[in-house]
Amino acid sequence: MTRISSSFDTDTADNRARFWLLLAVQTVSVLLLLWSATPIYRTILAAPGQKLSGIPGSPTVIILSLVAFHGAYWYRLTRVPMVIGRHGMLLSHLVAFSGRLSFIFGGALFALVIYRHLPDLDQAVDPLQFIGRLLAMLAIQFSLFCYTLELERVGAAMRPAG
């Protein structure tokens, strides 16, 4: 198997800086996604089973966050080595826990939509709007899944050897 870049094998300050910058972009993007989903969560929670005429908040923030996250995630995964070093068992567990926690928040929104909102829809639904919202929800869930994987990799790399 060939490597994409020979810089993948080197532990340089440049690789370290790129790694942490890309992880920061991923983290800010996920925080923006979760922040943007909060009004949607509250709207659905307040009116379970009712057809929503509009989604609160701006879809622009969600779209830009998704693009920024996936750009940083896939670039980091394929081109930038994970240069971390060992930091201790507790910190490695806290990092992995943070990843799982972000996925739980996204899962709560997904569960609310699927279990409390969709089953009671007996009104006519615009299929294009439904597909768009479904794809947006799946894109957010997939992003949170990828972020969870990334933080689990970081946590594993931080664990002491042995």
Side-chain angles (χ1 to χ4, degrees):
M1 183 159 95
T2 60
R3 300 259 176 155
I4 292 175
S5 169
S6 62
S7 67
F8 226 84
D9 298 323
T10 59
D11 179 6
T12 65
D14 182 48
N15 280 340
R16 224 178 256 121
R18 288 190 310 158
F19 169 77
W20 289 110
L21 175 65
L22 291 168
L23 186 62
V25 170
Q26 291 174 53
T27 301
V28 168
S29 298
V30 164
L31 290 173
L32 283 171
L33 283 173
L34 293 174
W35 175 74
S36 298
T38 301
I40 298 168
Y41 182 84
R42 288 186 181 142
T43 301
I44 293 172
L45 189 60
Q50 296 179 14
K51 183 177 178 185
L52 301 177
S53 58
I55 298 293
S58 170
T60 306
V61 174
I62 293 173
I63 292 167
L64 290 176
S65 296
L66 287 169
V67 168
F69 174 81
H70 283 284
Y73 176 78
W74 293 105
Y75 183 79
R76 204 294 307 152
L77 194 63
T78 60
R79 305 215 182 242
V80 179
M82 187 174 292
V83 184
I84 297 174
R86 307 288 181 211
H87 294 285
M89 193 62 74
L90 178 61
L91 185 58
S92 78
H93 277 69
L94 290 174
V95 169
F97 173 73
S98 298
R100 297 274 176 109
L101 195 58
S102 70
F103 195 68
I104 288 170
F105 289 137
L109 176 62
F110 189 76
L112 179 66
V113 169
I114 297 301
Y115 295 122
R116 291 224 35 206
H117 192 65
L118 285 182
D120 295 331
L121 286 178
D122 19 342
Q123 307 165 20
V125 177
D126 177 17
L128 290 177
Q129 188 179 51
F130 175 77
I131 290 170
R133 289 179 180 177
L134 179 65
L135 290 175
M137 170 112 18
L138 291 174
I140 290 170
Q141 280 298 109
F142 181 68
S143 300
L144 294 174
F145 170 73
C146 291
Y147 186 65
T148 299
L149 290 178
E150 184 77 335
L151 288 185
E152 286 179 355
R153 284 189 288 268
V154 171
M158 288 180 161
R159 283 190 204 114

